[in-house]
Amino acid sequence: ENSLQKTSAPFSANSYDDFISLNTLNFSSFAKLMKRLQEIHPEATKDQIVDALLEVRKNNRGVLNGLSINSIVERTSIIV
């Protein structure tokens, strides 16, 4: 499966647009991930989902590299 890639840019913003602009990632993977998470958690805002993704990243030594989309979805869903 596709995995998200990080850059050395620090995370200081929580919005969807800032998340994309601060990271070099495969947009189709990110869009697929966001769509899946929004389907699972329709009550959550995009910002809440991004905040949860940032927490997953933080808990995984600051990277999402190496995690499958399914693993990221599972870990994010626990937080959301």
Side-chain angles (χ1 to χ4, degrees), residues 37-52:
L37 287 166
Q38 287 176 307
E39 289 171 352
I40 295 168
H41 304 286
E43 75 289 352
T45 66
K46 286 182 180 180
D47 283 347
Q48 289 171 323
I49 292 171
V50 170
D51 287 344

Side-chain angles (χ1 to χ4, degrees), residues 10-23 50:
F11 273 92
S12 60
N14 293 323
S15 78
Y16 174 80
D17 292 334
D18 289 335
F19 185 82
I20 292 171
S21 67
L22 290 175
N23 285 286
V50 170

